[in-house]
Amino acid sequence: MANIKPFRAVRPTRDKVSLVASRSYQSYTQSEREARLDHNPYSFLHIVNPGYKYDKEISGKERYQLVKNRYSEFKEDGVFVQDKLPSFYVYKIIDRDHQVFNGIIAAASVEDYKNNVIKKHEDTIESREIIFKDYLKTVGFNAEPVLLTYPDNANISFIVNEVQKERAEFEFTTTYRDTHYLWEINSANDVQTIANAFAEMDTLYIADGHHRSSSSALLCDALTAENPNHNGKETYNHFMSFLIAESELKLHEFYRIIKDLNGLSKEEFLIQLDTIYRIDNRGIMPYKPSKPHHFSMYLDGEFYSLYLRKNDYTFKTALDQLDAQLLYDTILKPILGINDLRNDTRIDYLSGKKDVVNLKSMVDSGTFKVGFGMVPATIEQLKAIADEGLTMPPKSTYIEPKLRSGVTIYEF
């Protein structure tokens, strides 16, 4: 059973939420960050980039303490206020493409993560886990929820739909033309109904936020060891999550772009591909695959379709069926010599949400030699891989929705 709890979020005031909310720090270009920091004193970027105040790059423990200081200042100035009652928060996004995402922001259990009630499908990097654990321990809050998905549930959907008939606590539109809404749920009946619905679920799945989850587990262990009065009810026993029904989750692929052909000529490369793929030259017109185990390839100014010769390939696990893994097993590793997908500088990734023309331009620029596209993974594949205790290659899925930082904050 999944243990999902309401919590007392720290939130911006209604009049300032649109100014506070920000995308993840890494998603901005330097000029975009500087523009927001120069002209918006309420941006959450001021908290996560505290050195900007001193015109200095600051890292490590010194930065963590300054993040805590900036956060405290936002609370002292009344920009952030903590809710009086533990609540679930219904969060809705309508993006520029008119896609609608509904979910619930809540506290998920670290114990559930450790016991595999909350299942993962990606490996984490230990050094990143430790860095983020140390960051969380110093600053004392988390502003980016882990994205969890669950089977569609009629009771939860009913409450989510009913609460949206009332005026939203927050409603704001970003410069990306996404509109965000937030409602509080703190009535005893609704809170219990939601908690009971999740308690009846055997498994939740991490869709996005594997490092945040693992770091929260490390933080819980550290704070438990330091607390002689630990009783399991402390806030550090949970971590902030955005729970979304499987039917509302949107998965995109990632393109793979490679800097060279591993010493092969174009003709030698195509001949090696021919042993396991049926290859058709599609010319200059952009091509995207429409079926699993079909790939697009852009090489030397032309698009190609690659169809797996299934008689020569055997699938043994759910991971084998994943196209990102198949591409690695049949092309990236044996032909192009890319063994370490996380650290090899010869490979890069582009979100499949962007047009295939972006892939073409990267190759045409000469920075990259060849690019590959595939169909997106499915939620069923993600779950099957997690259920088998396996992990996807990095950048196997680009998952929506993407929430803004600083809209709800979870304190430890």
Side-chain angles (χ1 to χ4, degrees):
M1 56 181 286
N3 177 13
I4 300 299
K5 295 178 59 175
F7 70 100
R8 295 173 58 218
V10 175
R11 300 188 283 123
T13 55
R14 187 197 296 265
D15 63 315
K16 294 184 177 65
V17 62
S18 63
L19 298 171
V20 171
S22 72
R23 305 198 314 271
S24 65
Y25 182 81
Q26 294 81 5
S27 69
Y28 293 98
T29 65
Q30 183 176 345
S31 60
E32 286 176 330
R33 280 196 297 267
E34 290 178 353
R36 283 159 175 78
L37 290 165
D38 283 342
H39 302 294
N40 179 4
Y42 299 110
S43 173
F44 194 74
L45 293 176
H46 283 287
I47 294 176
V48 296
N49 186 24
Y52 193 79
K53 179 177 181 179
Y54 303 106
D55 194 25
K56 179 183 178 183
E57 286 289 332
I58 302 174
S59 61
K61 293 183 179 180
E62 184 182 17
R63 172 178 170 264
Y64 304 164
Q65 185 59 51
L66 287 177
V67 168
K68 183 178 182 179
N69 294 348
R70 292 293 88 72
Y71 175 65
S72 296
E73 289 167 6
F74 270 53
K75 292 179 70 176
E76 291 165 3
D77 292 343
V79 178
F80 284 137
V81 178
Q82 186 167 31
D83 288 327
K84 296 180 179 179
L85 296 174
S87 303
F88 290 122
Y89 301 89
V90 172
Y91 200 106
K92 177 179 180 179
I93 301 172
I94 303 177
D95 72 11
R96 63 187 300 169
D97 300 319
H98 307 294
Q99 294 181 116
V100 180
F101 303 98
N102 293 283
I104 294 176
I105 297 176
S109 166
V110 168
E111 196 65 25
D112 283 352
Y113 174 79
K114 292 180 179 180
N115 294 335
N116 216 30
V117 173
I118 297 174
K119 291 187 176 181
K120 64 180 182 178
H121 65 269
E122 280 187 10
D123 276 333
T124 52
I125 300 171
E126 185 178 7
S127 60
R128 287 184 60 192
E129 293 176 348
I130 294 171
I131 288 171
F132 194 53
K133 180 264 293 182
D134 292 342
Y135 169 83
L136 293 175
K137 188 177 180 183
T138 300
V139 303
F141 69 88
N142 192 358
E144 294 187 15
V146 173
L147 186 62
L148 300 178
T149 189
Y150 62 90
D152 287 49
N153 181 280
N155 290 334
I156 295 174
S157 295
F158 177 79
I159 293 175
V160 167
N161 291 332
E162 283 297 302
V163 75
Q164 290 185 24
K165 294 177 181 178
E166 305 296 327
R167 182 191 180 194
E169 286 290 311
F170 292 157
E171 178 181 350
F172 64 95
T173 300
T174 72
T175 53
Y176 274 61
R177 291 183 288 176
D178 300 335
T179 303
H180 297 246
Y181 305 84
L182 182 138
W183 295 263
E184 277 185 276
I185 298 178
N186 49 38
S187 73
N189 286 339
D190 286 346
V191 165
Q192 195 61 54
T193 298
I194 292 171
N196 289 345
F198 283 115
E200 293 174 359
M201 299 179 189
D202 294 328
T203 308
L204 305 175
Y205 295 87
I206 300 174
D208 192 21
H210 286 79
H211 282 91
R212 276 167 276 157
S213 304
S214 58
S215 299
S216 295
L218 291 177
L219 176 70
C220 180
D221 290 342
L223 295 179
T224 297
E226 295 174 5
N227 183 4
N229 300 314
H230 173 82
N231 59 23
K233 297 181 180 179
E234 297 86 356
T235 54
Y236 58 72
N237 292 283
H238 288 74
F239 56 92
M240 185 168 63
S241 300
F242 180 61
L243 296 112
I244 185 169
E246 292 173 5
S247 64
E248 296 213 22
L249 202 63
K250 181 69 174 178
L251 278 69
H252 300 276
E253 73 278 22
F254 270 97
Y255 301 124
R256 272 80 169 124
I257 46 178
I258 319 298
K259 291 184 177 179
D260 59 67
L261 297 182
N262 197 27
L264 300 172
S265 68
K266 173 184 173 181
E267 292 72 21
E268 290 169 335
F269 176 60
L270 291 173
I271 288 171
Q272 290 203 31
L273 283 183
D274 194 75
T275 60
I276 198 164
Y277 288 95
R278 175 181 170 179
I279 305 172
D280 286 319
N281 188 322
R282 301 282 181 151
I284 62 172
M285 293 300 294
Y287 167 75
K288 291 193 71 172
S290 58
K291 295 180 180 180
H293 315 328
H294 290 186
F295 298 92
S296 62
M297 180 175 73
Y298 184 69
L299 172 67
D300 197 23
E302 295 178 311
F303 286 91
Y304 295 80
S305 60
L306 308 180
Y307 297 168
L308 180 68
R309 300 184 190 276
K310 295 182 180 179
N311 292 338
D312 297 327
Y313 197 84
T314 302
F315 300 111
K316 297 179 180 179
T317 68
L319 182 60
D320 293 339
Q321 295 271 2
L322 184 73
D323 281 347
Q325 183 68 34
L326 179 62
L327 186 72
Y328 172 72
D329 288 337
T330 59
I331 300 177
L332 300 183
K333 183 178 180 180
I335 300 177
L336 294 177
I338 295 174
N339 296 300
D340 185 350
L341 292 172
R342 292 186 182 276
N343 299 307
D344 197 316
T345 58
R346 295 169 55 226
I347 186 170
D348 208 342
Y349 305 89
L350 290 173
S351 164
K353 188 177 181 183
K354 296 182 178 179
D355 196 273
V356 71
V357 173
N358 290 87
L359 178 147
K360 178 181 183 299
S361 64
M362 294 291 284
V363 175
D364 287 345
S365 71
T367 305
F368 296 89
K369 184 67 176 179
V370 62
F372 298 94
M374 65 195 79
V375 298
T378 65
I379 185 62
E380 290 75 22
Q381 285 182 301
L382 184 153
K383 291 169 62 178
I385 289 168
D387 288 342
E388 291 184 19
L390 302 171
T391 53
M392 294 180 174
K395 301 293 186 181
S396 290
T397 54
Y398 178 88
I399 297 180
E400 293 182 305
K402 301 292 186 188
L403 274 65
R404 294 277 162 147
S405 297
V407 178
T408 58
I409 296 172
Y410 185 82
E411 291 189 342
F412 309 116

